[in-house]
Amino acid sequence: MAGLGDSDGYEGTAVLEVDRSRFDVQVRLRGHFQPIDGCYHWYGRIDAHEGLDELLGSGKARGVLTTAEGSAPCELSEPDPSHRYRVTGISTPPFRAGESAPGPAREEAGAAGTAGAGAPEHDGQAGTAAQQAAGGPAASLPGHVRVAIIGAGLGGIGAGIRLRKAGVTSFVILERAAAVGGTWRDNTYPGCACDVPSHLYSFSFAPNPRWSHSFSRQPEIWQYVEDVTDHYGLREHLVFGTEVLRADWDGGPARWRLRTNRGELTADVLITASGPLSEPSLPDVPGLADFPGEIFHSARWNHSYSLEGKRVAVVGTGASAIQIVPKIQPEVKQLVLFQRTPAWIVPRRDRRITDFEKRLYRQVPAAQRLARLGIYISRESLVGGFTKRPAILKAAQRMALRNLAASVPDAELRAKLTPDYVMGCKRILISSDFYPALRRPNVQVVASGLAKVDGNTLTAKDGTSCEVDAIVLATGFHAVDAPIAGLIFDADGRSLAQAWNGDMRALRGTTIAGFPNLCMIIGPNTGLGHNSMIYMIESQLNYIVDYVATLDRTGAAALDTRPGAQQAWCDDIERRMASTVWTTGGCVSWYLNAAGRNPTLWPGSTIGFRRATRRLDPGEYELILQRQGTGR
């Protein structure tokens, strides 16, 4: 989210303190004031350091960074393939902020920024919370809560809202970062936007009449999550800068014991809302770790590094890549796109929402609900093409081919970009500027995956090679292996990852046999290829609220999913999955795990999933009756 003030910064030596250890490091830092949350954001890189590798490995940490100009709390992200750590902070840069930071953000290093006049319709609470996470008086961890929620993205915030509406006030939302937002906070790459229409990409109970475009941009969605958090009074339940390191089910008192980087707590019910798009997936390419230039994943965009005039490789052609390429193409000297498999792409029918429409939606909320319903019905009408009769998508496939032919006159390039599988087998992408960008003289499309890196030379599997200064990895996320599963343990000390053994399974996408009182938002087989995931999240929230209510009604300490019920549910999904385009379409996609099974998507309509999760069936669970007190 680079801004006009990115000239602020520091480059040189610094001291990093992490877990009572001190390291002399080399840093490159930049910063800018961000009106969206009223804070000063700074970020940069710490050069490779053997001591940090020994201490942190591939993990993350919080610490304090001190330069000759100041000192500030910071957060270290996982290292890139060259072992350089991304460092970020909010409101207290370890250097003197320049004119780009209005108000208090221009004061001496260590002063906290506040919301500026350039942040309309924002009360500044987000900035306050971010400041606390970055080094102010952070919220303390409770000793015990009824419900602990991991993650403050749309799933975690939605869970908090629904729990409060149900009268459950003893809960905490644990967020490892310094602000709410989840994937919409983390993905700040150029051109980042949603591919679901704006009116549908919001909670049904919290419509946003201020969307500026029919397809929302990342800053607006992030702002929406912040606004919803404030509107429903969730700040008091949020604890930022808190990463869950391990969660153990204790069968004695029937509680989850959570260990975090800031201490321990217990909870009767644990809800994981970390999401499938939270942990970047890095390719295993020989020599990539030794690349001497700049390298970063699209979800960890390095705004302190300018691509202007550089030779840049983009690895991947998924949803992120087709947004990034058109934005960076005009400024780079050369852009080489490594494409393993071409995607089906349809035009992006985006437009600016008029002031009249915004006023109408504010004054007549039913008008926006009607618009949302129309979009939902049009999207839901496509479900049969994905799940039962892929031939239904042939009309859309012909439209995509006509769009490709009109956009790419060059036959050789068009051949590289033409998929050889049935539309819908891989994620259908929307863009109106990706194909035109590929036609520019400074762009080369390599229709082969990246095979090896030797210094600045990148070589594809087909032997094509090129020299670049920077690599952007648009290589997706750990969507089929849920990294958080390695942190959750049953009563016998077996992790959820071990229980799954590479094959995620759950009852109704939400609960797992052997892990009592554990609920997952966007769990196995809840993803969609045709509609809004927020609809699915709300369906799961209905189920989870009824889960907690069932505990109260029955007086049970816990509910444990019956293995037979989970197996029956998964068997039915497998039966229905056999006729879907994801199985029959002739492609290999990120939807599939190593065994070739699809644990990612829901093989039916969203209405069907809503019915299946409307309420909990106690017959699918074993009631654990012992109880040693709860809170509400």
Side-chain angles (χ1 to χ4, degrees):
M1 297 180 63
L4 295 177
D6 278 6
S7 58
D8 297 346
Y10 172 87
E11 184 169 346
T13 60
V15 175
L16 177 67
E17 297 179 68
V18 181
D19 292 341
R20 299 181 181 179
S21 297
R22 291 169 58 91
F23 303 94
D24 294 318
V25 295
Q26 290 288 326
V27 298
R28 288 173 293 163
L29 307 174
R30 293 291 184 271
H32 67 278
F33 176 74
Q34 179 53 255
I36 194 171
D37 63 1
C39 294
Y40 191 88
H41 291 243
W42 60 273
Y43 40 79
R45 291 283 181 177
I46 295 177
D47 288 351
H49 192 289
E50 184 176 344
L52 279 177
D53 284 345
E54 291 179 359
L55 179 67
L56 303 180
S58 60
K60 302 179 181 181
R62 294 178 64 82
V64 175
L65 186 66
T66 302
T67 73
E69 299 184 20
S71 180
C74 64
E75 181 172 298
L76 298 175
S77 298
E78 65 275 7
D80 65 20
S82 297
H83 299 282
R84 293 168 296 193
Y85 286 83
R86 171 118 165 118
V87 58
T88 58
I90 295 179
S91 295
T92 57
F95 52 82
R96 189 179 299 274
E99 291 301 314
S100 62
R106 285 202 301 265
E107 297 176 3
E108 294 289 337
T114 60
E121 299 184 280
H122 193 277
D123 61 11
Q125 292 184 33
T128 301
Q131 291 162 22
Q132 291 177 350
S140 60
L141 282 176
H144 175 77
V145 289
R146 178 67 162 149
V147 182
I149 303 167
I150 301 175
L154 283 162
I157 294 302
I161 293 170
R162 290 299 309 277
L163 286 172
R164 279 186 65 117
K165 284 187 173 182
V168 181
T169 58
S170 175
F171 68 89
V172 65
I173 304 174
L174 306 173
E175 172 54 55
R176 65 186 180 185
V180 302
T183 190
W184 295 107
R185 175 200 61 232
D186 295 340
N187 283 269
T188 62
Y189 60 78
C192 183
C194 189
D195 57 6
V196 174
S198 299
H199 294 312
L200 197 57
Y201 201 79
S202 58
F203 292 120
S204 62
F205 51 80
N208 178 17
R210 299 189 300 273
W211 294 125
S212 66
H213 289 77
S214 52
F215 288 92
S216 306
R217 278 57 171 169
Q218 174 266 338
E220 281 190 289
I221 302 174
W222 186 15
Q223 182 66 67
Y224 172 77
V225 184
E226 291 276 12
D227 291 344
V228 168
T229 300
D230 292 332
H231 180 78
Y232 288 94
L234 293 184
R235 294 290 172 191
E236 64 186 89
H237 298 279
L238 280 159
V239 184
F240 293 113
T242 304
E243 183 166 9
V244 174
L245 305 176
R246 183 178 174 116
D248 290 272
W249 174 251
D250 188 340
R255 287 179 174 178
W256 284 99
R257 298 192 178 277
L258 280 67
R259 181 164 60 89
T260 79
N261 62 324
R262 294 187 53 216
E264 298 185 359
L265 72 155
T266 60
D268 296 328
V269 178
L270 177 62
I271 299 175
T272 67
S274 56
L277 305 182
S278 59
E279 296 296 334
S281 176
L282 302 178
D284 184 13
V285 176
L288 188 64
D290 298 320
F291 178 68
E294 186 69 21
I295 181 171
F296 49 86
H297 191 276
S298 59
R300 302 291 185 267
W301 195 271
N302 183 7
H303 292 284
S304 65
Y305 181 80
S306 174
L307 296 177
E308 186 174 358
K310 303 294 198 308
R311 301 168 300 175
V312 180
V314 175
V315 181
T317 50
S320 299
I322 70 164
Q323 294 179 344
I324 292 169
V325 167
K327 293 298 182 182
I328 68 173
Q329 175 272 318
E331 64 176 291
V332 304
K333 178 180 181 180
Q334 181 187 17
L335 193 156
V336 182
L337 180 65
F338 286 84
Q339 170 193 270
R340 284 194 306 179
T341 309
W344 284 106
I345 301 175
V346 296
R348 184 183 184 88
R349 307 299 186 190
D350 189 28
R351 67 174 182 86
R352 183 175 293 276
I353 296 175
T354 67
D355 290 338
F356 169 78
E357 290 173 289
K358 294 176 186 178
R359 286 196 301 272
L360 177 64
Y361 295 147
R362 284 197 302 269
Q363 298 170 9
V364 188
Q368 188 172 18
R369 289 196 295 269
L370 184 62
R372 176 188 174 97
L373 178 62
I375 297 169
Y376 171 78
I377 292 173
S378 66
R379 288 282 179 133
E380 196 65 11
S381 66
L382 300 174
V383 67
F386 287 91
T387 61
K388 293 183 179 180
R389 294 179 295 279
I392 294 175
L393 295 173
K394 284 188 176 180
Q397 187 166 311
R398 288 193 295 269
M399 180 182 72
L401 288 173
R402 288 196 298 268
N403 176 53
L404 175 58
S407 303
V408 184
D410 181 80
E412 183 179 353
L413 177 57
R414 190 166 63 248
K416 292 181 179 180
L417 300 173
T418 303
D420 61 358
Y421 54 88
V422 177
M423 189 179 200
C425 184
K426 293 171 71 75
R427 184 175 177 180
I428 300 173
L429 307 181
I430 61 171
S431 175
S432 295
D433 54 7
F434 179 63
Y435 287 151
L438 300 185
R439 294 169 49 192
R440 306 304 298 171
N442 66 331
V443 178
Q444 176 186 2
V445 177
V446 177
S448 181
L450 181 62
K452 65 177 181 178
V453 177
D454 185 7
N456 286 91
T457 302
L458 277 60
T459 304
K461 292 180 179 179
D462 66 359
T464 303
S465 64
C466 62
E467 289 197 358
V468 299
D469 305 305
I471 301 175
V472 176
L473 299 173
T475 48
F477 300 85
H478 287 277
V480 297
D481 53 2
I484 197 170
L487 308 179
I488 299 173
F489 294 81
D490 66 12
D492 297 323
R494 179 186 59 160
S495 74
L496 179 55
Q498 291 171 325
W500 275 341
N501 192 26
D503 193 10
M504 300 189 302
R505 293 173 182 268
L507 173 62
R508 304 183 189 275
T510 309
T511 62
I512 301 104
F515 292 82
N517 282 12
L518 173 67
C519 298
M520 297 193 73
I521 298 176
I522 314 184
N525 293 112
T526 59
L528 296 176
H530 70 288
N531 217 321
S532 173
M533 278 305 302
I534 296 185
Y535 189 95
M536 300 293 278
I537 289 174
E538 288 195 45
S539 297
Q540 286 193 279
L541 295 180
N542 292 338
Y543 193 78
I544 292 171
V545 167
D546 195 44
Y547 187 105
V548 177
T550 300
L551 291 173
D552 294 335
R553 285 195 305 268
T554 61
L559 299 175
D560 192 4
T561 305
R562 294 185 183 277
Q566 178 174 299
Q567 188 63 45
W569 173 263
C570 293
D571 287 347
D572 183 60
I573 284 180
E574 285 300 291
R575 178 186 60 79
R576 297 163 65 186
M577 194 69 74
S579 62
T580 67
V581 69
W582 311 306
T583 301
T584 65
C587 73
V588 176
S589 71
W590 61 266
Y591 300 144
L592 309 180
N593 60 20
R597 199 180 76 84
N598 188 334
T600 310
L601 297 173
W602 168 247
S605 70
T606 60
I607 297 173
F609 188 77
R610 177 65 59 91
R611 286 197 301 264
T613 53
R614 188 172 302 279
R615 59 181 56 87
L616 180 141
D617 177 4
E620 294 182 326
Y621 292 87
E622 176 186 351
L623 273 64
I624 300 173
L625 297 177
Q626 68 266 27
R627 172 171 253 164
Q628 295 186 1
T630 62
R632 284 184 67 83

